[in-house]
Amino acid sequence: MKEKVVLAYSGGLDTTAIIPWLKENYDYEVICCCVDCGQEEELDGLEERAKLSGASKLYIEDIVDDFCDNYIVPCVKASAVYENKYLLGTSMARPGIAKKLVEIARKEGAVAICHGATGKGNDQIRFELGIKALAPDLKIIAPWRDDKWELQSRQDEIDYCKAHGIDLPFSADSSYSRDRNLWHISHEGLELEDPSVAPNYDHLLVLGNSPEKAPEEGEYVTMTFEAGVPTSLNGKKMKVSDIIRELNVLGGKHGIGIIDIVENRVVGMKSRGVYETPGGTILMEAHDQLEELILDRATMEVKKEMGNKLAQIVYEGKWFTPLREAVCAFIDVTQKYVTGEVKFKLYKGNIIKAGTTSKYSLYSESLASFTTGDLYDHHDAEGFITLFGLPLKVRAMKMQEVENNK
Amino acid sequence: MKEKVVLAYSGGLDTTAIIPWLKENYDYEVICCCVDCGQEEELDGLEERAKLSGASKLYIEDIVDDFCDNYIVPCVKASAVYENKYLLGTSMARPGIAKKLVEIARKEGAVAICHGATGKGNDQIRFELGIKALAPDLKIIAPWRDDKWELQSRQDEIDYCKAHGIDLPFSADSSYSRDRNLWHISHEGLELEDPSVAPNYDHLLVLGNSPEKAPEEGEYVTMTFEAGVPTSLNGKKMKVSDIIRELNVLGGKHGIGIIDIVENRVVGMKSRGVYETPGGTILMEAHDQLEELILDRATMEVKKEMGNKLAQIVYEGKWFTPLREAVCAFIDVTQKYVTGEVKFKLYKGNIIKAGTTSKYSLYSESLASFTTGDLYDHHDAEGFITLFGLPLKVRAMKMQEVENNK
Amino acid sequence: MKEKVVLAYSGGLDTTAIIPWLKENYDYEVICCCVDCGQEEELDGLEERAKLSGASKLYIEDIVDDFCDNYIVPCVKASAVYENKYLLGTSMARPGIAKKLVEIARKEGAVAICHGATGKGNDQIRFELGIKALAPDLKIIAPWRDDKWELQSRQDEIDYCKAHGIDLPFSADSSYSRDRNLWHISHEGLELEDPSVAPNYDHLLVLGNSPEKAPEEGEYVTMTFEAGVPTSLNGKKMKVSDIIRELNVLGGKHGIGIIDIVENRVVGMKSRGVYETPGGTILMEAHDQLEELILDRATMEVKKEMGNKLAQIVYEGKWFTPLREAVCAFIDVTQKYVTGEVKFKLYKGNIIKAGTTSKYSLYSESLASFTTGDLYDHHDAEGFITLFGLPLKVRAMKMQEVENNK
Amino acid sequence: MKEKVVLAYSGGLDTTAIIPWLKENYDYEVICCCVDCGQEEELDGLEERAKLSGASKLYIEDIVDDFCDNYIVPCVKASAVYENKYLLGTSMARPGIAKKLVEIARKEGAVAICHGATGKGNDQIRFELGIKALAPDLKIIAPWRDDKWELQSRQDEIDYCKAHGIDLPFSADSSYSRDRNLWHISHEGLELEDPSVAPNYDHLLVLGNSPEKAPEEGEYVTMTFEAGVPTSLNGKKMKVSDIIRELNVLGGKHGIGIIDIVENRVVGMKSRGVYETPGGTILMEAHDQLEELILDRATMEVKKEMGNKLAQIVYEGKWFTPLREAVCAFIDVTQKYVTGEVKFKLYKGNIIKAGTTSKYSLYSESLASFTTGDLYDHHDAEGFITLFGLPLKVRAMKMQEVENNK
């Protein structure tokens, strides 16, 4: 009996060509596994395709809710954003996929896992660190880095498939390189490879309009959170995945969440991409807006550092590590009272604040206003400033003294 | 001969009433000093007003270029933003004003400086820490915190002025509490005191349009930077103050840079305000955009922390401290090669990227693309991931071992 | 019926004089509360003393185990050290005391809490922030900052006591100002007030010998930890308080844990003190030694930052805050596998490592040695360095290119 | 004419065997370069040895003062310590050596640089990142990672040398693996490979005594610093290298600066070593002691973070990077006033403080003492605590309110 490999399979040209290649070069039985994180691909007929391509089995695994609850929500709570802009759409999905691949590998008694990520990107790292952390004994095969892989273009792959009896209708033209899931879609390649060139948004966008094509009329949206977790949209209780799905429609329509970034990959080079994260952008903004009312200054400050750390960790594929768990434990404590309602007006790329409320709000109208009261007497500021400025003043006096002694 | 006090004077009701109050309660000769940071106030006739109010002298000091070059530019270089949103407009101006007040006090041989900031805000701290650091021997008078100050309303102040022979046309109605300079205008009070209420932008905005009222047509703008400092706008070399002035017009027109925030004051409470920073928002975004091409990942990461620190320091009024100087020295090194051109399209509140170039760009199209080359062989990633993931894998193996030994 | 105040009472001169002062100036019924954190004071006869001094009741509350388990242990886990040296002995005790005072105040229906900390130290802040956080409605009385307090010296206090019929044998001589609990003893005052003078250790030390007076023979000590918590000493299971108690004897004997520091107080000035923390120093060192085997590099690095933050938070008296809780949640996750045994030799002020073991150790002899193996092939380092050094190399090439184009 | 390679050469067995290997496998002309960082090796006769081994030339380059002034001093200023203990002795030397190798390579017109560091250590990274940053065009050869290198033991190397006509007296026994320079000596291997075993100090130590073997009598030492740089020892002006040299003698004698550590290497595994840094330990402690008097609290706090960053950067071999330069610029500003004198007593492993003075000291005896004065009135603390504790109190009141509304 042959040893088994689990292949992360999408039904696209790359992962199709890998099936015969694995059989030919490793003599494995190939188990395909298509993990659905909300990429909205055509899954109908996928099983037939996989088998036609030589796989012995296809698993289609829907992890959308797992993705939302266990990967997206912790990052939203943390306001984790990579290099100020990237909402980690692809980064958050990879560990969830890796976990599912390991699960299938264990169930099938496979000895290896194979993925189709290239040798210059971040995803190879995220897949492989996930697998190493969960199943250090499993072999990992990355064809694009493998000496035995000789296919250099889409045409090569098509020819290779044909030569191995797989006759499926793939186009040899390459478009943008894209990755999509419930949270976002990323675009790389074509004109984006030159940072001096503006993206061709008319051609590029998949999830919605550009601000310029968005409707003339704005639209209000209301969200509630409980302990940092989104719980309802426009007054309707929903699970997180449904909230994101609906926000994607709204945000896409109004041109929200399109970013154009040159980012630093883990593997050491810069790359340029455009991300569409319509719903995610609204959700994170709403969460942050609510936190403004609830978190004290010191907590906000340290939480910002921890959110930046989490973004780095997730971007680097280190989800299944003690450090990621520790950071999330920190964040969870800060979220205990992040409960309340946020209202926004969406209008041509803008998220315009329209009121926030929380029973845990630390904002106090009487404290903020100019009057003196029970909690705070204007004279208190006198003592505060004396002590707050003391090190500064002592230092200035010392410098005067040194100067005078010259 | 009487001892002298230098009063930070604007010509408004508050600082006008302070003049007779200082004479009555402290028996000082009052030297007024109006420091111009670009607040676009009516300065004509100010000298007459000051004298009419009982001051013995008025200095009108234009520090706009000092403000731009020595306070704004370091913060732009650092991408210093307080609590994710506030571009520090008021915070950056205060130390510059304090410095000028101390200068005048020294010139006049004054023994004290007086400011009109309230006892619940941040500005009292910023003024006073500035003065303490530069002139620890000078007395500071803050009437609003002074037991002898008994005026509780605008009407009280008007009456007090009249009783002291000052008959100037002040309105008893209070509007928003505002602070304006070249970089921004802030608004507090009225409906803003309730965070559940959306700002009344039609009523509120001073520097430009809301996104909804902005023109249907977008507009391109090009900026160049040298070593992190803005040097030209739309192809024309200009000094920084002129760049900001012109960007304010453009940004204001297109609804850029309006933010609505609940922030944490130094004195311990939350307050809610709206800031308009049209030009500043464009300038900082352009600077950050350029940095994306030029800074390596590690530098970007630490610089972000330092930028956050600078924002805290500046917000807290600790400009004249060794820590602020040290942070700025760090930042300056990172800016050495932040030279290049950034192009944006401004459209209804959106800053849409339209191309960035720099001769120091670390972006390399051949490296970013999918091919293998001199600098990077796909196989290198293999070794990288092995070592990058080693701690994770060793840990997973150890855990398996402990598990098996149970 | 009179309103009640709970007084943090030690039986010393200061808190004795406060009893009649509170009755005279506030007309309160005074409930004394002596909180025992291991200060090894004479508690016999304390009740009689308190009553004789005019208190209506004395509570003696032993919180030693609470102090160890809920304040010391979290700080040991975090390796929390203030300004590189101070092991936070006093700082950790204050919130525990504040909590107990609030508890008694609630039980007695008191309206106020009174403490005897001075107006220039950190302890007033720690007591009061603790009380504010747990019972924001209670009034706080700090006689040393109170206008009605007129006693400026020990002799004044003795006279005041006598005048109010309290005739107890107090000495008018002042010695070092000290604070002691199970974890440490601090010394301030006398020759220590001049940082250019070496401490007079023969005179000063309370808990043990100086290194020079320590025995010629060293002594071994073995400790075990489970999940970061000390669980046994020299092979004997013990509760934490007993471990510290016994380590204090051992450490004191061998001259361990004496530090001489100029530290920055929260209230803005520097002060100089000597701390003896014999057992604590050994315990923290043992904990850190064990962590070296168990924590991965990334976790260690971030944990160090969090430990520093915790030290700041605790020093500032902000124990009962969301931030402190969040930091501790972070730390707790890192401690899950900090289990194992540490052996030290104590010798004349030195803690000499003598072997560490843990079943969760990530140290691998085969990996560390010079041979190639399954987990790591020397060639892997090639790829690692290529990618690790890529940003650096790309930058250097770009700089060469710019140079050449000049 | 053959292409040239510059070989980092020590005269030991490894780098001797590399000479014929380079000629055989790469057909290069081999230029040896022995960089002297104070390793106190036998340099007499080295030229003869190198030539005898087949090198065409030997450079002996003394960089001791460069090492002290440009690598050690910046790290001392920063208090840069890796993982709490390691004073970076080897890490700081590598970039200096790399720089010199590049200089010689340029002078000789060489096309490659070769070093003898192994494939599992940090030094390969430090050498290579240094070379990449300074000369990205040069090829780097690391025989231990090279497929053509087949020598697996000292005996193999000896045989290989003999087979190539090099007959030098090398021992086949391996001892500890050591690295020495002016700052420190490191030891790895033998019994140290098992962290449960105590080091055999009698066998191991090179630079001095263990505390137990140190003299019964302590000894005083005085150092002065100017702007963070050590300038004199025991009253005698000296250059830094001489200060370190003399402190090594003193520290070695008194058993100072021996540490036993399990550290995390950059390449992902833990290793265990013993470091002797007698002079360095005293110098850093003296510097830190002086800073206690001079730096304000906020500066100290951020400087600690920056020092930790610098330690990471240096440990990882990223000396020639913008981030390292930026961090050092930060540090330099903090050092401007770190001027003064520190006195220590050295005694059996202990550095006992014996007085510190500085004209820039921010310590003020009158401020620190218990009395009220001009700068600080006890009542000021009242207002300070009110504001400092305000967020905490507001939060507690809000929680009570929520609780009551349930």
Side-chain angles (χ1 to χ4, degrees), chain D residues 57-74:
Chain D
K57 205 186 270 192
L58 170 68
Y59 286 87
I60 298 183
E61 301 287 317
D62 179 341
I63 65 161
V64 171
D65 284 321
D66 177 45
F67 178 41
C68 289
D69 298 340
N70 300 315
Y71 301 86
I72 290 176
V73 164

Side-chain angles (χ1 to χ4, degrees), chain C residues 146-163:
Chain C
D146 197 304
D147 282 330
K148 305 187 196 94
W149 182 264
E150 287 165 342
L151 314 177
Q152 296 302 328
S153 65
R154 288 183 67 81
Q155 192 55 55
D156 284 1
E157 292 183 312
I158 291 171
D159 295 345
Y160 183 82
C161 283
K162 282 205 181 127

Side-chain angles (χ1 to χ4, degrees), chain C residues 217-221 250 253-254 344-347:
Chain C
E217 278 303 297
E219 189 168 355
Y220 285 93
V221 60
L250 282 167
K253 176 177 163 194
H254 291 287
F344 284 156
K345 183 178 197 176
L346 310 178
Y347 172 73

Side-chain angles (χ1 to χ4, degrees), chain A residues 395 399, chain B residues 325, chain D residues 77 226-228 294-295 331-339 360:
Chain A
R395 192 169 176 276
M399 291 300 151
Chain B
E325 289 171 33
Chain D
K77 284 175 170 178
E226 278 168 36
I294 292 153
L295 299 192
I331 298 292
D332 276 346
V333 172
T334 66
Q335 298 302 294
K336 206 164 159 192
Y337 300 105
V338 179
T339 293
Y360 298 112

Side-chain angles (χ1 to χ4, degrees), chain A residues 294-306:
Chain A
I294 292 155
L295 300 191
D296 62 278
R297 187 174 179 225
T299 302
M300 261 177 103
E301 211 179 312
V302 182
K303 183 177 173 264
K304 194 198 284 191
E305 290 176 36
M306 297 306 275

